[in-house]
Amino acid sequence: MTTRNYNLNHVSFTTADGPFSVVADEHHVLASGWTWDIGALVQLIHPDLRGAASEVRAGSKVDPHPVLDQAAEAVAAYYAGDVTAVDRVPVRQRSGPFREQAWEALRQVAPGAPVTYAGYAARAGRPSAIRAAAGACAMNAAALFVPCHRIVRTDGGLGGFRYGVQIKESLLRRESVPAPSPHADPRRGSPAR
């Protein structure tokens, strides 16, 4: 087996829901979540993508990192009200075929339109695999960019979330607020004509 060395980089910052960190290779976000603990995020990355990375370097203004910069800008835009900004960030995760398909299906769940675990299993192509779909959510390393927080229980409950139900509830609440229309005339309180 050939061991490959990967250059992994990270950035951390504060959001309205607490600390948020991102780990990326040169082209994709590999892991992210509401934590300062970079080591914990690195452990979520599949070994094939993590490789033999001996060091995870912090992004800096001196040595810009396009993916980390894009991710940080998208998270800032998300918290400023553009809840679709995170959809454009490139993400890479690895697992078996069902999980990879399920993670791709997660990226198709629109903000403000949560889906039940049963509905999510159907979107992932295996309607009877509700537990496997829930497992894909639990194993999602790239929180927010792969929006597992948009999956809820059939009874309307929130279900679990790696970073706490309070953050999941906050994200869903944030996404349920309609974005202001860019064509609105603020002097009239109605859309411009």
Side-chain angles (χ1 to χ4, degrees):
M1 180 175 170
T2 303
T3 302
R4 294 172 46 184
N5 288 316
Y6 290 88
N7 291 321
L8 298 181
N9 294 275
H10 72 87
V11 65
S12 298
F13 44 89
T14 302
T15 70
D17 291 316
F20 192 83
S21 297
V22 180
V23 178
D25 64 13
E26 293 188 19
H27 305 288
H28 303 90
V29 166
L30 302 177
S32 55
W34 289 266
T35 181
W36 296 118
D37 189 347
I38 301 305
L41 287 178
V42 170
Q43 290 305 307
L44 297 175
I45 301 169
H46 191 279
D48 287 352
L49 299 178
R50 187 172 57 224
S54 58
E55 171 183 21
V56 183
R57 296 177 306 198
S60 71
K61 299 285 185 205
V62 176
D63 187 18
H65 189 280
V67 174
L68 290 179
D69 292 346
Q70 181 184 11
E73 289 169 11
V75 173
Y78 176 90
Y79 277 98
D82 180 3
V83 295
T84 64
V86 294
D87 298 343
R88 298 181 287 276
V89 175
V91 174
R92 186 167 184 209
Q93 296 191 83
R94 178 157 296 153
S95 187
F98 176 73
R99 274 202 188 138
E100 288 183 12
Q101 184 174 341
W103 291 327
E104 190 55 42
L106 274 175
R107 293 201 87 186
Q108 305 308 311
V109 177
V115 174
T116 65
Y117 285 100
Y120 170 48
R123 285 176 177 229
R126 291 183 42 201
S128 63
I130 297 169
R131 285 183 189 249
C137 280
M139 297 302 293
N140 174 30
L144 191 59
F145 303 107
V146 178
C148 57
H149 66 275
R150 295 179 187 157
I151 308 302
V152 296
R153 293 185 345 201
T154 304
D155 68 3
L158 293 179
F161 189 58
R162 179 187 315 270
Y163 300 101
V165 176
Q166 300 85 353
I167 291 177
K168 182 173 185 174
E169 183 177 38
S170 172
L171 298 172
L172 291 173
R173 190 173 45 250
R174 180 178 309 285
E175 292 176 359
S176 69
V177 177
S181 168
H183 305 291
D185 182 345
R187 295 169 292 172
R188 296 186 180 161
S190 64
R193 302 197 191 269

